[in-house]
Amino acid sequence: MAREGTDPPRPLRRDERQRPPGPIRWRSSLRNTIYDVLQSKKEWVETENETEWDFFWADKGWIHHELDKMHLNDWQRINHFPNHYELTRKDLLIKNLKRAKKQLEREERYMEAAQYNFFPLTFVVPSEYRMFVEEFKRSGGTWIMKPIGKAQGQGIFLFNKLSQISDWRRDHTWRPDDEDAPETYLAQRYVDAPYLVGGKKFDLRIYALVTSYSPLRVFLYRSGFARFTNTRYSMKKEDITNTFIHLTNVAIQKHAPGFDAAKGMKWSIHSLRHFMTTRHGAEASNELFHNMQNLIIRALLAVQPAMINDKHCFELYGYDILIDQSLKPWLLEVNASPSLSASDTSDWTLKFALLEDVLDIVDLESKREPGKIDLHMGGFDLIWDGGPVMRFDKPTSLPTMLGAYNERDRNQLRPKEDGPSHLPTQRPKRAAVSVPTSGATSGTEGGPPQAPPGAGGAAFAASLF
Ligand code: ADP
């Protein structure tokens, strides 16, 4: 006989389940500034549990090997998109940029296609070696070779003769197991007239946060920094092999003769914008910074069709941008794991604030009204939300807030009493130090770049906040 009574409750669908009551449970694969930020959340608890977490700051290896096997609950959040490499692997980025440009040309949207002119001409070798040679014979010049699987300037060299890259002559791609096959590299046109300050080359690290690819939603951080070489720039033939002149990576520069971590090699973007405005006028400086913002968005639009939009994911990208002497910005690469190790107190302060603002936007505790997105959140500005965001609260002459004064304390989700003063004044003793740089730029040769007016010497990297 059938038992009387109601049917057993239907199991809840994944998207109907709620986060269990209690504190946010977080995990972190990294032990640097993100760990400090998570630890500073007094009401959150750390967990080592493989599956029972609400927030996980994972390394890329975990994402590639484990994410596929997991069934995440609706509320769980993780810091990478599963195939972020479409944007962050050097060769795939170029492939996607070229494809986006071609697609626009096919649709006869030539003006827009022309906007994809922010990456230097690039070939993947050995597979595109022949095409590269054709171009090299036609235009010559200096080129840079970059291994696709390495970072921090490793394996990079400049060349101006074909004989210098003869190892890449044969295409081995049709024999995938070929042990003699050279490592895959990009052969990229070298931007040989970079913008110099104090005679030295620099590139920029800019942070952008993507919380969704469909629709594409992008926040741009106002603060970031310029990283200088320690040695004056030169395009003399005998200097072509000198990586201290040509590569701005901190990992390279810290071995440069006369490198002095205490003097430092960095400027804040805020200081750079001030400097550019003073030197070239507001119009030219605004255009440069606007072009950088556009480049950041265009790169994301180019990879959008290839990206798996997983609603559990968000990603903080570190863009590397080089400015040339005609004030044109060039995209060098996009990092999915921008260094979160702090080199000194001002670096730690910047990264701590940046990550705190990321967590506020991800909003694990659902503090924000559902569906409500503010234009300014902490030091981030919403710059794309399924389309351009050009709605400013008040009339402004700034076409982008990149490098503008970081008003993160005014744009907080957390209560005011948690505001500016809640930032620890000292980094924990444990904080990792992997890249020794600090303060304003200086160098052994030619002296430091002049400080932008109103921003005094070593103080201006710290003057961001
Ligand atoms: P990595 O991932 O090893 O840092 P990048 O592509 O960022 O590789 O290049 C390292 C450095 O080399 C850059 O920071 C920049 O200083 C220099 N560089 C790279 N590509 C170019 C280029 N096309 N023109 C001029 N300088 C470049």
Side-chain angles (χ1 to χ4, degrees):
M1 202 174 87
R3 268 201 305 137
E4 271 188 53
T6 51
D7 291 338
R10 164 179 77 80
L12 286 176
R13 286 198 318 265
R14 193 167 286 280
D15 60 352
E16 292 171 324
R17 288 180 224 154
Q18 298 282 320
R19 185 169 71 78
I24 302 282
R25 300 155 304 168
W26 60 268
R27 281 184 75 186
S28 174
S29 303
L30 305 181
R31 291 285 180 276
N32 51 33
T33 316
I34 183 60
Y35 194 75
D36 300 338
V37 172
L38 289 164
Q39 270 197 324
S40 76
K41 299 268 177 200
K42 293 190 194 76
E43 280 148 30
W44 296 16
V45 291
E46 185 178 4
T47 177
E48 294 293 321
N49 194 301
E50 293 284 320
T51 52
E52 301 295 309
W53 44 263
D54 306 311
F55 180 84
F56 187 12
W57 196 279
D59 55 57
K60 288 184 290 179
W62 190 93
I63 298 289
H64 299 158
H65 297 115
E66 306 297 330
L67 186 59
D68 260 6
K69 301 177 205 156
M70 302 262 306
H71 293 286
L72 296 184
N73 286 306
D74 211 32
W75 66 85
Q76 290 181 291
R77 290 289 176 273
I78 191 150
N79 64 321
H80 290 294
F81 284 90
N83 59 341
H84 62 84
Y85 42 79
E86 294 286 349
L87 179 71
T88 59
R89 215 177 79 184
K90 292 184 176 74
D91 56 331
L92 296 179
L93 169 67
I94 296 290
K95 186 193 80 181
N96 284 314
L97 291 173
K98 284 182 179 172
R99 193 184 50 198
K101 188 168 190 225
K102 272 215 183 91
Q103 180 61 29
L104 289 168
E105 284 165 353
R106 228 174 275 134
E107 293 168 17
E108 301 184 1
R109 292 155 68 185
Y110 297 113
M111 297 265 279
E112 242 182 291
Q115 289 197 25
Y116 276 91
N117 63 355
F118 54 75
F119 57 100
L121 185 58
T122 307
F123 298 90
V124 181
V125 291
S127 59
E128 297 177 339
Y129 184 83
R130 273 163 208 262
M131 270 195 281
F132 163 70
V133 170
E134 261 176 50
E135 178 59 37
F136 186 84
K137 286 187 174 155
R138 208 176 55 78
S139 57
T142 305
W143 294 69
I144 186 166
M145 282 284 275
K146 309 198 267 190
I148 64 162
K150 293 206 176 98
Q152 301 193 318
Q154 289 172 66
I156 297 185
F157 63 94
L158 273 62
F159 70 99
N160 51 15
K161 292 194 191 79
L162 276 182
S163 57
Q164 291 164 291
I165 62 156
S166 54
D167 285 356
W168 285 267
R169 206 166 37 206
R170 270 179 51 210
D171 183 359
H172 300 251
T173 46
W174 54 276
R175 275 192 298 156
D177 300 331
D178 188 346
E179 283 179 3
D180 298 329
E183 195 177 345
T184 304
Y185 265 65
L186 293 189
Q188 185 169 78
R189 185 175 285 291
Y190 190 62
V191 177
D192 59 4
Y195 191 90
L196 305 178
V197 180
K200 291 167 185 174
K201 176 176 172 176
F202 62 91
D203 75 349
L204 303 180
R205 166 55 54 87
I206 295 171
Y207 299 99
L209 173 70
V210 172
T211 54
S212 159
Y213 272 97
S214 180
L216 179 64
R217 185 168 295 140
V218 189
F219 298 84
L220 185 60
Y221 204 59
R222 291 187 187 185
S223 306
F225 45 89
R227 299 167 292 200
F228 285 80
T229 59
N230 198 43
T231 313
R232 287 180 79 88
Y233 189 70
S234 154
M235 272 307 283
K236 286 189 193 140
K237 278 204 178 87
E238 62 270 26
D239 289 329
I240 196 174
T241 53
N242 187 340
T243 49
F244 299 135
I245 291 176
H246 295 287
L247 308 191
T248 48
N249 302 77
V250 177
I252 301 280
Q253 291 300 326
K254 68 183 178 188
H255 300 295
F259 174 83
D260 181 347
K263 282 187 185 160
M265 317 273 292
K266 284 184 180 177
W267 264 13
S268 71
I269 303 252
H270 180 61
S271 300
L272 183 75
R273 187 159 183 176
H274 192 140
F275 178 84
M276 290 300 204
T277 305
T278 308
R279 207 182 233 193
H280 302 282
E283 202 178 320
S285 173
N286 283 347
E287 191 179 337
L288 166 65
F289 279 79
H290 191 229
N291 287 341
M292 288 201 258
Q293 173 168 311
N294 275 346
L295 167 169
I296 286 164
I297 295 167
R298 294 232 159 256
L300 291 166
L301 287 172
V303 299
Q304 190 187 17
M307 279 293 179
I308 299 164
N309 184 53
D310 185 328
K311 65 178 183 214
H312 304 98
C313 305
F314 66 93
E315 203 150 35
L316 177 69
Y317 298 111
Y319 277 73
D320 290 349
I321 295 176
L322 184 72
I323 302 169
D324 75 13
Q325 285 172 15
S326 67
L327 299 193
K328 175 180 160 65
W330 294 90
L331 176 59
L332 299 183
E333 72 165 336
V334 188
N335 294 280
S337 299
S339 167
L340 300 178
S341 302
S343 53
D344 57 62
T345 306
S346 67
D347 194 35
W348 183 81
T349 308
L350 184 151
K351 286 170 181 169
F352 193 98
L354 165 78
L355 292 166
E356 225 182 18
D357 292 347
V358 168
L359 293 188
D360 278 356
I361 291 178
V362 173
D363 190 18
L364 282 148
E365 293 151 303
S366 306
K367 286 186 176 171
R368 197 171 296 112
E369 251 173 69
K372 184 168 184 298
I373 298 164
D374 294 328
L375 286 181
H376 312 294
M377 298 212 247
F380 281 99
D381 298 289
L382 181 66
I383 57 166
W384 191 270
D385 191 12
V389 178
M390 285 296 283
R391 296 166 288 141
F392 289 104
D393 295 332
K394 50 183 187 282
T396 170
S397 55
L398 290 183
T400 170
M401 301 308 278
L402 177 62
Y405 185 67
N406 189 327
E407 295 174 311
R408 67 180 298 265
D409 295 331
R410 280 179 45 187
N411 304 322
Q412 289 300 339
L413 179 62
R414 77 183 77 86
K416 276 276 179 280
E417 59 271 24
D418 270 6
S421 56
H422 83 285
L423 258 183
T425 48
Q426 276 198 321
R427 48 203 272 243
K429 288 212 166 58
R430 183 213 45 75
V433 177
S434 66
V435 279
T437 60
S438 72
T441 306
S442 183
T444 47
E445 299 170 57
Q450 306 127 23
F460 53 80
S463 71
L464 274 169
F465 301 100

